Amino acid sequence: QVQLVESGGGLVQPGGSLRLSCLASGFTLDYYSIGWFRQTPGTGREGVSCISSSDGSIYYADSVKGRFTISRDNAKNTVYLRMNSLKPEDTAVYYCAAYQAPYCSGSTGPYEYDYWGQGTQVTVSS
């Protein structure tokens, strides 16, 4: 059974950090580019970051550049999103998604991804 499971969300104060994990099962991440998206009520899914399967090239949205770091550990079939200096506007449900292609970028739309996780809530509040 193909599955992506996110974990690591929670409540954190402004300026704090969290690390999200995205564990794949039922398939190997080696040949998939992985994206992180976030969504708040009433809005569409916003691309936050992605990491390409071919060369590890990385995209970050301007809103998170310099604060978030994406990484992958193919041996553990897991992708991470380290989030530092969190702001209240980072509050959202965060999703990881797998795209069976060698490259991803900011123009890779959500509809192009093949598999999605169930999401994990991140709340940044004092």
Side-chain angles (χ1 to χ4, degrees):
Q1 181 182 2
V2 172
Q3 200 171 11
L4 289 172
V5 178
E6 302 96 337
S7 61
L11 173 64
V12 64
Q13 292 186 342
S17 298
L18 286 174
R19 189 181 77 160
L20 305 184
S21 299
C22 173
L23 173 64
S25 60
F27 68 106
T28 178
L29 285 182
D30 294 43
Y31 305 107
Y32 286 80
S33 297
I34 303 298
W36 284 96
F37 292 80
R38 64 187 182 187
Q39 188 170 23
T40 55
T43 68
R45 291 190 180 181
E46 173 194 10
V48 173
S49 180
C50 75
I51 184 166
S52 297
S53 63
S54 57
D55 61 0
S57 56
I58 288 171
Y59 159 81
Y60 294 108
D62 287 344
S63 58
V64 306
K65 203 170 293 183
R67 300 187 297 121
F68 289 14
T69 304
I70 191 172
S71 61
R72 63 191 300 156
D73 185 339
N74 286 348
K76 294 183 178 179
N77 229 25
T78 301
V79 174
Y80 304 98
L81 185 68
R82 177 70 179 182
M83 306 186 296
N84 295 330
S85 303
L86 283 162
K87 305 174 181 180
E89 52 263 45
D90 294 317
T91 296
V93 178
Y94 282 73
Y95 299 89
C96 65
Y99 173 44
Q100 194 173 10
Y103 295 102
C104 62
S105 70
S107 61
T108 307
Y111 56 90
E112 299 185 73
Y113 284 79
D114 301 287
Y115 307 119
W116 288 84
Q118 82 290 348
T120 185
Q121 175 71 46
V122 171
T123 302
V124 184
S125 175
S126 55

